[in-house]
């Protein structure tokens, strides 16, 4: 459940610490998914994973950046164990679009 995280986020709503909190939450979410994928290779905890993936997508949109090591682990482990999972692939696609959006060309 995300009740505690949501409560902390609402307390920090107008605070300078909100962005930092969201970054830590995003990192924890990615590490949690990697741990779940590694320990439960059979997709038995689908609803929990789906909830975390949807929260990951939401946090990515809010934060707009990730720790490179967390990102690499998530992509590698996710593709290894969840390459057929529709929700994982959708969130991965959104994340790639967000994180690798085209930079304006320097020649223009």
């Amino acid at each position: 459940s995300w009740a505690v995280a949501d409560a902390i986020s609402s307390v920090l709503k107008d605070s300078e610490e909100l962005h930092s909190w969201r970054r830590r939450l995003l990192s924890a979410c990615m590490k949690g998914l990697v741990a779940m994928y590694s320990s439960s290779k059979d997709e038995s905890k689908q609803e929990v994973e789906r909830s975390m993936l949807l929260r990951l997508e939401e946090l990515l949109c809010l934060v707009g950046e990730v720790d490179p090591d967390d990102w690499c682990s998530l992509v590698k482990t996710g593709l290894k164990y969840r390459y057929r999972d529709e929700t994982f692939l959708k969130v991965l696609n959104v994340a790639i679009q967000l994180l690798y959006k085209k930079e304006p060309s320097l020649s223009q």
Side-chain angles (χ1 to χ4, degrees), residues 10-64:
S10 68
V11 168
L12 296 174
K13 189 169 74 172
D14 297 321
S15 162
E16 295 173 7
E17 298 168 14
L18 182 60
H19 186 72
S20 176
W21 164 248
R22 285 178 173 160
R23 282 187 60 132
R24 286 193 295 270
L25 204 52
L26 178 61
S27 178
C29 191
M30 287 192 283
K31 287 175 180 165
L33 283 165
V34 168
M36 273 195 279
Y37 293 162
S38 298
S39 68
S40 177
K41 298 168 179 71
D42 62 352
E43 303 180 35
S44 62
K45 297 178 180 169
Q46 240 177 346
E47 200 48 49
V48 176
E49 288 179 12
R50 188 176 187 292
S51 166
M52 284 189 76
L53 281 165
L54 296 175
R55 183 57 63 116
L56 175 73
E57 181 179 358
E58 178 187 323
L59 288 166
L60 274 169
C61 291
L62 292 169
V63 176

